[in-house]
């Protein structure tokens, strides 16, 4: 299979990464070579194989319902590129 | 066009359309801390003060699940008579939004914690079962505020990561009344269980509404539209009404419905396509590699089952059987756990019938007038039962009781004290009553004659006069009896 | 006395405990050498002044019960460090200063370690040559213009150049072992769930694991002992019995069954690597170990599997870098425009490439064909190892199919770059521990490594086997100080 330019653009949209046409072409080429190498997996019959989601040899551990986090608003906002005293600030969202 | 009684039809040009509704209710889990972090879930705090590093998705932060939220979901599942899945998986739902700090929502996709169940609605024309498709746990997003700053959107992450139960119904709802009943019933069940406070003003209960229409008689479901995040029953009904009519218009004009997500504009009372979000509408669900599958054993589930309180359906049955209430009365009294608690407290020590009437009558009117919940009632269940006992044992009449109630509502005063202080005790001494009656008879000879010659209606006049002369304190039952004897 | 910076970690600890050296002396020595080694470009952020202050405080009230008493350590810039800038080698985190500490670095601090700086790495650990870092290439001290491996390239280079007595890296597909192999150092990728991932900038959550990089196996045992703790803040952390790996370290491998997977003899592998492998096999036999030929039939599918699983997880893990909460933001006309520009300008090409691959394999219509398929093959790969471990205690392979290459050599051919990790990737997919130790040099004089793969949570066994190999190989690093004028 080949990944065409339209698909590259669609993926870039989904990824929220803008790319110009030149980059998209180059990326398309890279992706095609990577995927032709990935296609190797089709050689394997996995009809009766259970997918492996987690390799951790443990069960999901549970936490008590306790409040341990204090108000750390200053820390939370500290690294934000745009904020005011109370909020993160982002460009206007139009719905 | 009828929207009620199980049939909601839209008629255009001789075509009858049936409206099919399914709800995805988002119910906030009652818990101290969030689903995957230890920050507080308290409502109404200063912006961004209940945000941990995990909630704001700082690099390297990892989710650790809150056991209580799991228990709450299982409880709710049991309340919905649903299958509890012993193995469930947390997935990531990927999309970008300002109030979604991780760039994904941790949710459950293919393997939810709760499977199929059902909810019974009491409709005027009988019971109706609404199928539950599933219930899953997921994180809430933060809040984007668009109306403070004209240039920018502000983001508050206090809600970010709060546990939600998404309860998905089957497309079994057929009218606006059913939607109303369904939401109320869900809310009631969760409040009984203590798994969600159901507070719609605070956003503890919201719904995505799926609406489709089909020509009456068609078997195949039409294409549905999903109206996102509607936060009151009234708005849900308005949105459905608008959307169903819109779809019928489209079909009648020869068009077809696009499956899409729409937004309900409460000011314009219309639904609007959210196409801006649509172009990147591929959530790329996959199992969250930061979490492992959640495994529950029978023991755990059985333990929770044991602790499930009596739920509205069972309580209603018991009220009807034990207290001989009508289904209608029982429905009202079990509709909310706090009402049912209040009722049981009152009726424990006093007459059930009177308790029912006083709660659904006077007390509800008072709560309505003050626009308050029963938990905030100015009259305690203890004092209301005392008042009822005063009526029952003849100390005061029902009419006097009403004026006592009026005094009680300003400060929950003990009705016994009120009756004593104001001297409202009913006159039940037959001798005194006879004196009063005799006086009325001698003062109204013409009426006595008229009554005796057949004007039966005048009996009420004599009772009224006696009551009036006693300042309402005469025991009306005894007055009746004595009068009847006198006129024999 | 020899130069302080020539000493190994365990030796330094010993000398400080014996009060032959102070923390301040040691810290200053490594900092001075680091200052003279800017040409290697190993550091992204320096913490020199603060470190010296801390060393002085340690010396005023030394606690010799600690395992790293006042020992200076530079760490990979993927570990979040409180009040020290943490970039993950990316422009998008160029100015990010965490208010929190990763569990692994906290463990180091708790044992008396002092962080002297943050080391260069491939951007978000995506790379095998440290060439994807926003902060530039790192030089391999072995030879000029040679890559130090990746993604923990700053770590391997700084360690080999003796700018830090030991260091830590992260390994998602080989990112500790391959750079260790390229620089003639020791690198351990522990069992998944052994070291907490809390506070480590995530690349691929189901594969990422932190581990030590050191001059020898002893140092490695000590560092691992410190790093590996059970952590309730990481749901995938495993509560297994942790050993005193250094105390238990011994070279007795008598009766140990060592598997040699035939599938690792890949076409076109340089003869030197084959010879190195034979050398390892011979040493094991000579020391009473038993060599058993095994088969890991799905080895060839590991790389394609990895290049689905890792990018898929990464595409989601990196969605949080959106210019809102922290890091770089580009101006945009609206929110979406801001996201797209921020991420386009903030991420480098390799990261963008992997995000795109990951997005694609998860997207509707392709999930089953790629992501689900990869998860299934991952199970087959794990089964291979489970099968093998019924017969053997550990597995011996080369660490990499080639020695270090020149900077720029593979930059335009992603697939050939990816092939670098062919021997290391299967181990991450199976969640197993593996150690790379230096075992020889190729014709060019570049170091080559051998890899010992263990059973889950059996780090002690592979440390012991590596210890035995190390004794018998007596590898000598031939690094000159060419970069110091
Ligand atoms: Mg929905
Ligand atoms: Zn939802």
């Amino acid at each position: 299979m080949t990944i065409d330019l339209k698909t590259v653009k669609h993926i870039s949209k989904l990824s929220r990464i803008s790319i110009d046409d030149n980059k998209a072409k180059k990326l398309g080429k890279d992706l095609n070579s990577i995927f032709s190498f990935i296609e190797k997996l089709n050689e394997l019959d996995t009809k009766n194989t259970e997918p492996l989601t987690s390799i951790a040899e443990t069960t999901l551990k549970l936490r008590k319902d306790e409040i341990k986090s204090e108000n750390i608003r200053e820390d939370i906002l500290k690294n934000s590129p745009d904020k005011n005293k109370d909020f993160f600030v982002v460009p206007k969202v139009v719905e | 066009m009828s929207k009620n009684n199980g049939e909601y039809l839209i008629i255009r040009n001789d075509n009858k359309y049936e409206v099919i509704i399914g709800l995805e209710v988002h119910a906030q889990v009652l818990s101290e801390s969030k689903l995957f972090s230890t920050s507080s879930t308290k409502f109404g705090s200063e912006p961004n003060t209940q945000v941990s590093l995990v909630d704001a998705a700082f690099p390297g932060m990892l989710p650790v699940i809150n056991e209580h939220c799991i228990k709450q979901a299982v409880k709710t599942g049991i309340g919905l008579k649903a299958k509890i899945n012993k193995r469930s998986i947390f997935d990531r739902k990927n999309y970008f939004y300002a109030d979604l700090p991780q760039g994904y929502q941790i949710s459950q996709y293919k393997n939810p914690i709760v499977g199929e169940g059902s909810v019974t609605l009491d409709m005027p024309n009988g019971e109706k079962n609404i199928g539950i498709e599933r219930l899953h746990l997921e994180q809430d997003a933060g809040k984007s505020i668009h109306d403070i700053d004209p240039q920018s959107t502000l983001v508050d992450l206090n809600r970010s990561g709060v546990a939600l139960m998404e309860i998905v119904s089957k497309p079994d709802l057929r009218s606006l009344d059913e939607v109303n009943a369904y939401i109320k019933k869900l809310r009631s069940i969760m409040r009984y269980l203590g798994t969600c406070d159901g507070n719609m003003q605070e956003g503890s209960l919201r719904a995505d509404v799926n609406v489709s229409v089909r020509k009456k008689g068609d078997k195949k479901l039409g294409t549905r539209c999903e109206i996102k995040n509607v936060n009151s029953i009234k708005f849900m009904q308005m949105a459905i009404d608008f959307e169903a009519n819109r779809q019928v218009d489209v079909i009648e004009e020869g068009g077809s419905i696009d499956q899409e997500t729409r937004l309900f504009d409460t000011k314009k009372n219309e639904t609007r396509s959210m196409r801006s979000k649509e172009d990147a509408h591929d959530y790329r669900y996959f199992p969250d590699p930061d979490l492992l599958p959640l495994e529950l054993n029978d023991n755990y589930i059985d333990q929770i089952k044991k602790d499930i309180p009596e739920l509205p359906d069972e309580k209603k049955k018991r009220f009807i059987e034990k207290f001989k209430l009508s289904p209608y009365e029982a429905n009202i009294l079990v509709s909310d756990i706090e009402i049912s608690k209040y009722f049981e407290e009152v009726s424990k020590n006093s007459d059930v019938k009177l308790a029912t009437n006083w709660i659904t009558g006077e007390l509800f009117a008072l709560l309505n007038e003050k626009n308050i919940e029963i938990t905030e009632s100015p009259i305690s269940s203890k004092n209301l039962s005392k008042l009822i006992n005063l009526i029952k044992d003849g100390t005061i009449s029902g009419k006097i009781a009403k004026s006592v109630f009026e005094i009680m509502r300003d400060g929950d005063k003990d009705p016994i004290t009120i009756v004593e202080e104001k001297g409202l005790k009913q006159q039940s001494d037959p001798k005194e009553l006879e004196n009063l009656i005799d006086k009325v008879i001698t003062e109204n000879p013409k009426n006595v004659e008229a009554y005796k010659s057949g004007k039966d209606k005048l009996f009420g006049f004599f009772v009224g006069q006696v009551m009036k002369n006693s300042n309402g304190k005469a025991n009306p039952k005894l007055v009746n009896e004595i009068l009847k004897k006198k006129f024999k | 006395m020899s130069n302080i910076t020539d000493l190994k970690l365990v030796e330094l600890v010993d000398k400080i405990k014996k009060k032959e050296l102070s923390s301040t002396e040691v810290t200053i020595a490594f900092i001075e050498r680091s200052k003279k080694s800017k040409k290697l470009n190993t550091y992204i952020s320096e913490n020199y002044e603060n470190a010296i202050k801390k060393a002085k405080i340690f010396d005023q009230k030394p606690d010799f019960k600690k395992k790293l008493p006042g020992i200076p350590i530079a760490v990979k810039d993927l570990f979040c460090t409180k009040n020290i800038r943490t970039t993950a080698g990316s422009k998008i985190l160029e100015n990010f200063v965490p208010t929190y500490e990763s569990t692994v670095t906290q463990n180091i601090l708790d044992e008396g370690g002092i962080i002297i700086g943050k080391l260069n790495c491939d951007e978000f650990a995506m790379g095998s040559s440290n060439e994807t870092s926003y902060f530039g290439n790192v030089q391999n001290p072995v030879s000029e213009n040679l890559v130090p491996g990746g993604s923990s390239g700053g770590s391997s280079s700084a360690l080999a150049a003796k700018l830090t007595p030991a260091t830590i890296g992260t390994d998602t597909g080989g990112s500790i072992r391959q750079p260790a192999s390229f620089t003639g150092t020791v690198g351990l990728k522990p069992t998944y769930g052994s070291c907490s991932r809390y506070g480590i900038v995530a690349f691929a959550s189901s594969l990422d694991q932190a581990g030590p990089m050191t001059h020898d196996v002893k140092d490695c045992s000590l560092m691992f002992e410190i790093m590996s703790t059970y952590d309730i803040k990481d749901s995938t952390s495993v509560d297994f019995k942790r050993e005193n790996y250094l105390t238990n370290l011994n070279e007795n491998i008598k009766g140990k069954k060592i598997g040699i997977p035939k599938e690792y003899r890949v076409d076109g592998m340089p003869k030197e690597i084959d010879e190195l492998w034979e050398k390892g096999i011979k040493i094991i036999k000579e020391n009473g170990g038993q060599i058993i030929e095994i088969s890991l039939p799905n080895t060839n599918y590991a790389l394609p599997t990895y290049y689905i699983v890792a990018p898929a997880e990464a595409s989601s893990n990196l969605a949080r870098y959106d210019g809102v909460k922290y890091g770089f933001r580009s101006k945009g006309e609206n929110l979406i425009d801001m996201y797209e520009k921020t991420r386009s300008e903030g991420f480098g090409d390799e990261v963008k490439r992997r995000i795109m691959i990951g997005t694609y394999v998860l997207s509707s219509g392709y999930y089953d064909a790629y992501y689900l398929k990869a998860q299934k093959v991952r199970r087959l790969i794990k089964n291979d190892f489970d099968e093998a471990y019924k017969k053997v205690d550990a597995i011996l392979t080369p660490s990499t199919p080639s020695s270090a290459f020149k900077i720029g050599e593979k930059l335009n051919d992603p697939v050939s770059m990816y092939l670098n990790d062919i021997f290391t990737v299967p181990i991450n997919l199976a969640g197993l521990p593996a150690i790379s130790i230096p075992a020889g040099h190729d014709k060019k004089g570049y170091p080559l490594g051998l890899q010992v793969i263990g059973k889950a949570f059996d780090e002690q066994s592979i440390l012991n086997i590596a210890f035995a190999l190390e004794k018998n190989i007596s590898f000598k690093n031939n690094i000159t100080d060419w970069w110091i004028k």
Side-chain angles (χ1 to χ4, degrees), chain B residues 57 59-60 63 92 94 97-98 101 282, chain C residues 100 199 235 316-317 325-326 339 364:
Chain B
R92 292 187 184 175
N94 295 283
Y97 202 65
D282 182 344
Chain C
Y100 52 94
S235 298
S316 177
N317 282 336
K325 291 93 49 188
Y326 39 75
Y339 284 156
S364 105

Side-chain angles (χ1 to χ4, degrees), chain C residues 146-174:
Chain C
L146 199 64
V147 302
S151 66
S152 311
S155 296
S156 64
S157 173
L159 174 68
K162 297 170 182 166
L163 315 184
T164 178
T167 184
I168 55 176
T170 59
D171 190 319
T172 304

Side-chain angles (χ1 to χ4, degrees), chain B residues 76-260:
Chain B
T76 309
I78 294 168
L80 300 175
K81 302 183 199 93
K83 180 172 174 276
I84 308 300
N85 291 325
K86 282 194 248 169
R87 188 168 195 271
S88 67
I89 289 171
F90 289 93
D91 297 279
R92 292 187 184 175
K93 178 181 182 179
N94 295 283
Y95 65 97
F96 288 88
Y97 202 65
D99 52 27
L100 189 73
Q102 296 169 136
Y104 56 85
Q105 176 195 36
I106 306 179
S107 181
Q108 297 189 297
Y109 183 49
K110 281 189 186 146
N111 301 280
I113 186 165
V114 175
E116 291 190 332
S118 78
V119 166
T120 309
L121 306 184
D122 283 292
M123 301 311 293
N125 49 350
E127 285 189 347
K128 177 169 177 179
N129 280 323
I130 303 299
I132 298 292
E133 179 73 37
R134 60 186 280 160
L135 175 157
H136 67 252
L137 279 168
E138 64 184 26
Q139 301 176 297
D140 203 352
K143 205 166 74 186
S144 295
I145 300 152
H146 308 294
D147 51 8
I148 294 183
D149 183 337
Q151 264 80 52
S152 316
T153 291
L154 305 179
V155 181
D156 171 14
L157 298 180
N158 277 350
R159 286 196 80 99
S160 166
V162 165
L164 301 177
M165 295 180 280
E166 181 171 331
I167 303 166
V168 183
S169 82
K170 303 217 173 203
D172 288 350
L173 297 157
R174 290 290 179 276
S175 72
L176 301 184
D177 282 350
E178 285 180 12
V179 167
N180 177 50
Y182 173 76
I183 294 282
K184 284 190 171 154
K185 189 61 177 279
L186 264 191
R187 184 177 181 274
S188 164
I189 292 170
M190 292 189 289
R191 283 172 56 85
Y192 268 71
L193 292 165
T195 57
C196 171
D197 67 15
N199 192 328
M200 296 188 92
Q201 278 95 40
E202 293 180 3
S204 304
L205 209 61
R206 290 117 64 191
D208 297 340
V209 186
N210 289 300
V211 179
S212 67
V213 299
R214 68 179 170 199
K215 283 208 178 112
K216 194 172 157 59
D218 279 3
K219 284 276 171 290
K220 217 174 134 242
L221 289 175
T223 305
R224 70 189 161 90
C225 289
E226 179 179 359
I227 310 159
K228 280 270 172 209
N229 222 8
V230 194
N231 59 11
S232 84
I233 296 178
K234 197 180 110 212
F235 288 151
M236 282 175 214
Q237 294 178 324
M238 285 161 69
I240 293 164
D241 203 22
F242 175 88
E243 178 59 18
N245 279 285
R246 184 192 70 87
Q247 291 184 13
V248 168
D249 289 344
V250 169
I251 294 167
E252 283 293 309
E253 280 158 24
S256 64
I257 307 300
D258 293 329
Q259 182 162 349
E260 60 176 357

Side-chain angles (χ1 to χ4, degrees), chain C residues 269-293:
Chain C
M269 190 163 77
K271 214 175 106 230
E272 296 130 307
I273 291 188
D274 219 22
E275 283 165 9
L276 187 80
W277 202 358
E278 287 306 326
K279 186 164 104 187
I281 291 171
K282 198 169 148 241
I283 293 170
I284 286 177
K285 282 182 184 161
E286 282 167 4
N287 285 273
Q290 198 186 332
I291 295 293
I292 294 171
E293 172 111 343

Side-chain angles (χ1 to χ4, degrees), chain B residues 304-364:
Chain B
I304 294 176
K305 265 186 192 152
K306 258 187 225 156
D307 295 338
I308 296 284
E310 186 183 39
L311 291 176
D313 289 346
E314 289 88 67
K315 204 180 273 288
K316 180 184 161 192
K317 227 170 118 194
R318 180 165 63 86
F319 281 7
I320 292 171
E321 278 165 16
K322 188 172 159 200
F323 300 133
K324 311 282 173 247
L325 299 186
S326 72
Y328 174 77
E329 289 168 331
N331 251 345
I332 294 173
L333 291 172
V334 304
S335 65
D336 184 87
I337 181 146
E338 296 300 337
I339 293 172
S340 78
K341 271 191 203 158
Y342 191 97
F343 167 75
E344 295 214 73
E345 278 159 22
V346 174
S347 62
K348 195 164 62 195
N349 300 309
S350 57
D351 183 75
V352 172
K353 200 79 206 162
L354 282 170
T356 306
N357 292 342
W358 275 83
I359 290 170
T360 58
E362 303 297 317
L363 186 73
F364 277 11

